[in-house]
Amino acid sequence: MDVTFNPHLSNSLFFRPEQMYGENRKIFEELPHIVKGNIYFLAERRKVRVLPSSIGLSDDGYISASFTLEDSLAIPAKFPFAPTIIQLGTKFLEVYGNANTLQQYVVGVKNQAEYYARQKSKSDRPLIGVSLDAEAQNKTNIALCLHTPDGQVGKLPFSVHSILSSFEIDIGDHPLVLYIGKSENLKDRIYRHEKIQQALSTIDDDSDLYLYAFQFDTNKYTRSYLPDKTLVLRRDYENDITAEYQLAIVEMCLINYFKPRLNKDYKNCEIPLNPVYQAALKGRYNQVVLEVDHDAGFWNFGTEHIVAKLRHQIQYPVHG
């Protein structure tokens, strides 16, 4: 009988480090990926900029822009506003149900006064306004304003990479993992972690540096054979490894596999000989199979030692 400990990275959120400070902190610290997240990557993404003069807004709430890569290749794009806000709170989902329906009630406006004028038109549900925020616009974001029936105007500066990822606009991006860390309190650790500050000081100011916050889930697979040699594979969602040990194993396996530039521990050691690894697994498990697997391009991770790809299956034996 073979027993496998199978952790796998699941939900993620990526953001620029500066978004975790100042006024933005109040927004980010409430997001479930930050509250429940316990693994994070610091990664450098392909440099891409947006030409501010190329950004346009249609009457029906579609945004157009031209994205420019480091080789001056321009990629034109057009995308709806609704998918960028549908998950903000619960109200949009309650009233409109999904992004496609919400988009039918989105209007592009120049300012709050025009939004109020458009709101007076007959509609079975409230109209939602979007306008361009010229003052906050730069080459690394698309700055928008959200207008709602309660009179609020919310400023929404979307990073270029968040737009590209949300709408699956392919630019051949291969996030280069620079550092991998863990924390039982991710939101507080990210604010003050010295490795993040070190990375920011060593990477070009014009680089596209992002933090990925992950949650991970675990399975326990038991593989056995009946007397007639029929294979029986059982999966259990509960396992007998403490949360602290699970987190430690996931971190050390990820670091040993990717070998990020700024990590020091675990990069060149024999993981199966690690005391924590042995204490958690020896005598109960035969192997660890850790999966980093996602269909979206923004998970296309690699390092100087590992070729970038969407799926990484990391395996280590358990001795004894």
Side-chain angles (χ1 to χ4, degrees):
M1 181 173 69
D2 292 328
V3 184
T4 299
F5 175 50
N6 173 227
H8 50 97
L9 299 187
S10 53
N11 296 320
S12 74
L13 175 73
F14 69 84
F15 44 89
R16 295 182 69 88
E18 59 266 26
Q19 291 178 276
M20 293 296 293
Y21 300 90
E23 296 180 358
N24 290 312
R25 174 171 179 165
K26 296 178 181 179
I27 299 174
F28 275 91
E29 66 184 3
E30 300 300 328
L31 294 173
H33 304 80
I34 300 298
V35 174
K36 299 178 182 178
N38 40 30
I39 289 287
Y40 63 92
F41 288 6
L42 188 62
E44 184 178 5
R45 304 190 61 175
R46 185 174 187 182
K47 184 176 176 180
V48 58
R49 297 292 179 263
V50 62
L51 186 64
S53 62
S54 74
I55 301 173
L57 175 65
S58 66
D59 289 343
D60 55 353
Y62 278 76
I63 297 96
S64 56
S66 180
F67 300 98
T68 305
L69 304 182
E70 68 274 12
D71 57 3
S72 299
L73 176 66
I75 300 177
K78 185 177 181 179
F79 56 92
F81 179 58
T84 68
I85 62 168
I86 189 66
Q87 297 294 336
L88 292 180
T90 60
K91 199 65 177 178
F92 290 126
L93 285 171
E94 290 174 0
V95 176
Y96 303 96
N98 56 61
N100 289 335
T101 301
L102 172 57
Q103 186 62 37
Q104 297 174 28
Y105 297 87
V106 171
V107 293
V109 297
K110 291 184 175 62
N111 49 45
Q112 185 77 331
E114 183 179 348
Y115 170 65
Y116 282 142
R118 297 283 294 272
Q119 189 68 266
K120 293 178 181 179
S121 62
K122 291 183 179 180
S123 176
D124 59 334
R125 290 181 234 189
L127 298 180
I128 300 299
V130 56
S131 62
L132 301 180
D133 186 358
E135 292 183 357
Q137 181 62 54
N138 57 48
K139 293 181 179 180
T140 63
N141 70 17
I142 292 182
L144 304 173
C145 289
L146 167 65
H147 303 263
T148 51
D150 59 3
Q152 298 295 314
V153 179
K155 291 182 177 294
L156 302 174
F158 294 100
S159 72
V160 169
H161 277 286
S162 69
I163 294 296
L164 294 172
S165 297
S166 295
F167 296 98
E168 299 183 358
I169 302 170
D170 185 14
I171 61 168
D173 190 22
H174 303 127
L176 179 71
V177 180
L178 302 176
Y179 183 82
I180 295 173
K182 68 174 175 64
S183 177
E184 295 178 359
N185 191 343
L186 185 60
K187 65 178 183 179
D188 288 335
R189 184 173 177 84
I190 281 178
Y191 298 138
R192 61 176 181 268
H193 199 285
E194 66 278 3
K195 287 296 182 182
I196 295 175
Q197 302 308 317
Q198 179 184 345
L200 293 174
S201 66
T202 58
I203 301 299
D204 188 329
D205 289 342
D206 201 33
S207 296
D208 285 4
L209 199 64
Y210 281 81
L211 279 162
Y212 286 73
F214 296 96
Q215 299 174 50
F216 70 87
D217 298 319
T218 62
N219 295 317
K220 177 181 179 180
Y221 286 102
T222 303
R223 179 188 179 101
S224 60
Y225 290 89
L226 298 176
D228 64 358
K229 297 184 178 181
T230 299
L231 173 65
V232 177
L233 185 64
R234 188 178 78 240
R235 180 173 69 176
D236 298 311
Y237 294 102
E238 299 294 332
N239 58 61
D240 48 7
I241 305 175
T242 67
E244 182 180 0
Y245 275 168
Q246 289 182 29
L247 187 56
I249 291 169
V250 169
E251 181 195 33
M252 70 175 70
C253 290
L254 285 170
I255 293 173
N256 186 262
Y257 173 78
F258 280 109
K259 294 179 172 46
R261 184 190 312 163
L262 296 178
N263 282 97
K264 294 182 179 179
D265 297 333
Y266 307 124
K267 285 173 70 171
N268 300 305
C269 68
E270 292 290 334
I271 292 296
L273 301 181
N274 180 277
V276 172
Y277 185 94
Q278 290 187 327
L281 303 168
K282 189 174 180 179
R284 289 177 293 172
Y285 291 83
N286 300 96
Q287 66 174 343
V288 171
V289 178
L290 169 60
E291 295 176 296
V292 181
D293 186 3
H294 200 285
D295 292 335
F298 58 88
W299 272 42
N300 203 8
F301 298 117
T303 61
E304 290 91 343
H305 301 276
I306 296 294
V307 175
K309 53 186 177 180
L310 288 176
R311 175 176 172 79
H312 299 269
Q313 182 167 294
I314 305 166
Q315 296 182 244
Y316 293 96
V318 178
H319 298 321

